[in-house]
Amino acid sequence: MKIGIYGGTFNPPHLGHMVSARYAMEALGLDRLFFVPAGIPPHKSLPKGSPATRQRLEMAELAVDALLLPGKVVTSRIETDREGASFTADTLRRLRERYPEDELWLLMGADMFLTLQNWREPEVICSLANLAAFARTQDNTGEMLETQGKYLDKTFGAVSRIIQLPQIVPVSSTQLRELLSGGEGRQYLAPAVYGYILRNGLYGTKADLKHLSDDDLRACALSMVYAKRHAHICGVEEEAVKLARRWGAEETHARRAGILHDCTKYLSLEEQLQICEKYDIVLDDMERESAKLLHSKTGAALARDIYGEEDAVYWAIYWHTTGRADMTLLEKIIYLADYIEPNRDFDGVEEMRRLAYEDIDAALERGFEMSVADLTARGVEIHPNTQGALDWMKAHRKGTA
Ligand code: ATP
């Protein structure tokens, strides 16, 4: 197996790290790539006010997740779990023990490659791993890197490879920290990393979470879930806005409920229960045992408490999983948007989409019917609110027919 190791302070991790990692995977044919955030970096001291190690680690996890290569690119705690300065030679010794037969590649930008002889135990590093270097600016010419490669080979027997990135992201974490403190720089970050920074007020960002712009709210919501759910969340937002326009609901409410509807989706049952307790959310027995049923309620609670959303948004999120009898227009819109957003693909979805814009109640009734049929087929108990929603809608449509 070919294993890449990409160390750094990642304070914060930015698109330069992500683009180079993704490209190095391909160029070197790596089977796995470890992002290794340094615990205590030996080359540079962390500037004052830097996030806690745990927060750098969590940001690295979000950046790695955003690459959407699960199992192939992963974050390693090998340095953050270790006491003392994080020397690369020690990290490589540990990895070599763990992977005695595998080919190790140490990835680094030009700045690091050009000074490798000054690191602790360069001869150990070069004997344990091959080196892969990429330019970070237009000034890091291939020629300069080639010369350094030859020098490292002659001096330490290093095997190195220069990787020409097709796209250079001309930014460093230092520059980015400066930009962020002035309210700029988000274009250099994965949206989820940016959202994490806003939520935690890192790097001098002082976002008022209760009055975020739609873009900032979206970044925050994306930072709370795995990247595989991002397309769905953006799809629900888009569909909810379209439905709101069609049926005359408040567009902003639809957008913000769509953005936040799944924000607690990946919390454990225990975490969900804690939130329910904190916000006095009354649960029945079925809900107490199902994180799936709880995420709509906890998502609603955080939308209101942390992001200052209005009651209409609260209830639209609250009912988006089970539905209920006699739903408001916004509740119907979020329920349906979740069902038919552009990434959904199931038998009958096109018909549901058509119906949603032609007769919203008929679409809703169809949605409840399909949910009940699907849950029954899978042997899952139907929540009384879903059955109630279906019964109510049937009676209501009959009455108005
Ligand atoms: P700082 O501004 O603190 O020096 P940095 O942007 O260099 O931060 P690090 O976490 O120190 O970030 O970098 C980790 C690794 O990523 C290093 O090998 C570095 O050379 C490389 N790297 C950093 N920025 C880029 C970039 N824009 N493109 C490619 N590689 C980069």
Side-chain angles (χ1 to χ4, degrees):
M1 191 161 68
K2 277 191 182 181
I3 300 174
I5 300 135
Y6 197 179
T9 327
F10 302 122
N11 185 24
H14 50 67
L15 294 188
H17 300 128
M18 293 168 68
V19 167
S20 49
R22 182 179 276 285
Y23 191 68
M25 286 289 291
E26 264 178 50
L28 297 169
L30 299 178
D31 301 291
R32 186 167 304 166
L33 174 58
F34 290 117
F35 261 66
V36 187
I40 301 174
H43 302 294
K44 30 186 145 180
S45 52
L46 287 175
K48 253 185 132 175
S50 282
T53 302
R54 172 187 59 81
Q55 292 175 314
R56 278 191 299 112
L57 198 58
E58 285 173 358
M59 285 190 284
E61 281 166 354
L62 287 170
V64 162
D65 186 42
L67 289 170
L68 287 172
L69 292 168
K72 283 197 110 184
V73 187
V74 286
T75 313
S76 164
R77 291 168 185 244
I78 190 166
E79 292 192 355
T80 46
D81 282 352
R82 203 163 68 214
E83 303 271 306
S86 307
F87 291 109
T88 303
D90 295 335
T91 303
L92 290 178
R93 282 191 184 96
R94 294 271 303 278
L95 287 171
R96 179 48 79 205
E97 270 168 34
R98 219 183 280 171
Y99 301 100
E101 305 295 334
D102 300 291
E103 197 173 303
L104 302 185
W105 283 88
L106 187 62
L107 273 49
M108 65 195 87
D111 54 326
M112 293 289 152
F113 186 63
L114 292 171
T115 56
L116 195 116
Q117 61 278 15
N118 303 330
W119 296 16
R120 158 92 71 109
E121 302 184 284
E123 66 291 348
V124 172
I125 294 175
C126 297
S127 71
L128 293 175
N130 300 335
L131 312 175
F134 29 80
R136 287 180 57 174
T137 65
Q138 300 298 350
D139 305 338
N140 301 139
T141 61
E143 204 181 322
M144 187 164 42
L145 299 178
E146 297 286 355
T147 308
Q148 171 73 350
K150 282 186 192 137
Y151 163 76
L152 293 175
D153 175 20
K154 210 165 79 199
T155 318
F156 306 114
V159 174
S160 63
R161 178 134 169 232
I162 310 304
I163 297 181
Q164 299 295 345
L165 296 178
Q167 177 199 2
I168 289 182
V169 183
V171 79
S172 69
S173 296
T174 306
Q175 291 164 334
L176 198 44
R177 289 194 295 274
E178 191 66 32
L179 287 171
L180 286 166
S181 68
E184 293 174 60
R186 66 180 301 159
Q187 72 274 26
Y188 294 117
L189 292 161
V193 175
Y194 180 64
Y196 183 96
I197 290 169
L198 288 185
R199 280 203 293 128
N200 291 283
L202 305 180
Y203 307 116
T205 54
K206 292 194 181 67
D208 173 0
L209 296 186
K210 288 201 168 29
H211 296 94
L212 292 175
S213 67
D214 294 339
D215 282 349
D216 286 354
L217 184 72
R218 190 181 308 107
C220 287
L222 298 184
S223 77
M224 298 169 76
V225 297
Y226 292 120
K228 63 181 179 194
R229 187 149 287 265
H230 290 181
H232 168 68
I233 288 175
C234 296
V236 172
E237 175 192 352
E238 180 190 325
E239 197 74 50
V241 168
K242 271 170 57 189
L243 284 166
R245 282 186 193 140
R246 167 66 182 89
W247 296 109
E250 173 68 63
E251 194 179 310
T252 307
H253 286 164
R255 181 183 296 287
R256 296 177 80 94
I259 289 173
L260 288 169
H261 81 286
D262 266 352
C263 68
T264 54
K265 182 83 184 176
Y266 295 112
L267 296 187
S268 65
L269 181 62
E270 202 181 320
E271 290 167 316
Q272 306 267 8
L273 288 170
Q274 276 167 9
I275 296 177
C276 289
E277 194 166 326
K278 177 170 173 191
Y279 293 103
D280 294 325
I281 297 170
V282 181
L283 303 173
D284 57 36
D285 287 346
M286 210 172 146
E287 287 165 335
R288 250 188 293 279
E289 284 168 16
S290 161
K292 221 170 167 178
L293 288 179
L294 289 186
H295 85 279
S296 45
K297 311 201 159 190
T298 53
L302 299 196
R304 186 157 69 184
D305 188 44
I306 296 183
Y307 299 111
E309 296 303 330
E310 294 179 27
D311 283 353
V313 172
Y314 176 90
W315 290 115
I317 299 174
Y318 192 94
W319 292 117
H320 88 266
T321 304
T322 57
R324 65 165 177 134
D326 199 7
M327 292 164 85
T328 65
L329 176 59
L330 191 69
E331 288 165 14
K332 290 178 187 175
I333 284 177
I334 295 304
Y335 185 91
L336 271 181
D338 197 14
Y339 225 111
I340 61 167
E341 60 93 3
N343 300 288
R344 292 286 193 206
D345 185 16
F346 56 85
D347 271 353
V349 69
E350 285 309 333
E351 173 61 7
M352 275 278 280
R353 285 188 179 124
R354 191 189 58 73
L355 216 48
Y357 287 86
E358 205 177 281
D359 181 343
I360 191 167
D361 284 348
L364 213 58
E365 184 178 329
R366 177 80 54 90
F368 293 136
E369 265 169 1
M370 286 170 82
S371 292
V372 168
D374 175 56
L375 293 170
T376 309
R378 288 191 286 128
V380 181
E381 198 183 344
I382 313 292
H383 192 277
N385 282 330
T386 305
Q387 193 60 54
L390 177 58
D391 296 344
W392 189 92
M393 190 51 87
K394 273 192 169 145
H396 169 76
R397 291 192 59 237
K398 225 183 204 163
T400 56

